[in-house]
Structure formats: structure tokens, C-alpha cells
Amino acid sequence: GFNYLGRFAARAEAAAIGAVGPWEPAGATAIGGSDDPDMPAPHAVEAGAVIRDTADGPRLTITLSWPDRLLAEAVVERLGRTWLEMLGGLAAHTSAPAAGGHTPSDFVLLDLDQDEVEQFEAIAAHLEGGLSL
């Protein structure tokens, strides 16, 4: 399960505590940490995400929770680290000059699928003297 909780300004007290590492256990005080341990789990792993505005810019914080009886902490830690690497790769990709492009949602008055959008982009590039078809 995934729950995006929104974007919040960071409090001054949080900055005084010290820097948070790229991956660390949040403990029982994290989102969902007060759940009754006997309550049925709706998902094997739940992720809560929040954006905090800090003096250094926005920071994404993701908290993973899971039933202890279902998954070992080492398994979830590996999942969290892998997800962090994948998000880092995605963020790095967005800074590449060729990243981006259009999606069908950019053309609300037309009924296009992604393949058609990419075909039109290829035609436009060809007409502009760019890529050849």
C-alpha cells in the first residue's frame, strides 16, 4: 500500500536534531507505528510518503511498515534500499537532456495512447531536421 501524505514545512526543532540519513529505521513512533499488532494487515508492506520543505530544499521521506510476523526486517530493509536506489535513478534520469516527453494527458482534447504520442514526436523531430524516421 502507498499513501502520499502531502507537503509540509519542516519545523525548526527537527533541523536542530540533526541530519537524517538516506535510510534508517523510523521506530515505533513512525506513521502507523501505533497500530494494534493483532489488527489484520491490509498490505504486506505499507509506504507513507511526505515532502518536507527544508532550508536545503524539499526532501522526500518514505516510511515503510509491515507485520513482523509476515516479513523479516532484513527483507523490508533490502526492499527499502532498493526502492531508494530506484528513486535516485529516476531523479537522476529527469536531469538528462533527453528525459521527459509528452504523455496522452498532455493532449486532453485527443484520444491518444502513448505509442501514438511517441510517433507524433518522431514525426515532429524529423520535420525539424532532427532524428530520422
Side-chain angles (χ1 to χ4, degrees):
F2 181 80
N3 187 9
Y4 175 64
L5 301 171
R7 188 170 183 166
F8 301 92
R11 296 186 354 212
E13 305 91 67
I17 294 172
V20 176
W23 170 261
E24 60 186 52
T29 60
I31 300 166
S34 60
D35 288 344
D36 180 350
D38 294 325
M39 188 170 90
H43 306 284
V45 176
E46 292 192 14
V50 63
I51 301 286
R52 293 180 301 120
D53 288 323
T54 69
D56 296 327
R59 296 196 47 107
L60 172 65
T61 300
I62 300 172
T63 304
L64 300 179
S65 59
W66 66 96
D68 290 337
R69 294 181 221 161
L70 184 60
L71 297 169
E73 183 173 345
V75 171
V76 178
E77 183 172 338
R78 189 170 66 239
L79 173 66
R81 288 185 188 280
T82 302
W83 194 18
L84 185 64
E85 290 173 16
M86 291 172 60
L87 287 173
L90 181 60
H93 170 73
T94 63
S95 65
H102 294 92
T103 66
S105 65
D106 294 317
F107 307 99
V108 295
L109 298 177
L110 301 174
D111 183 24
L112 299 173
D113 62 28
Q114 188 61 40
D115 289 340
E116 292 170 313
V117 171
E118 291 170 5
Q119 289 173 0
F120 285 125
E121 286 179 330
I123 291 169
H126 177 72
L127 292 174
E128 292 175 357
L131 302 172
S132 61
L133 293 176

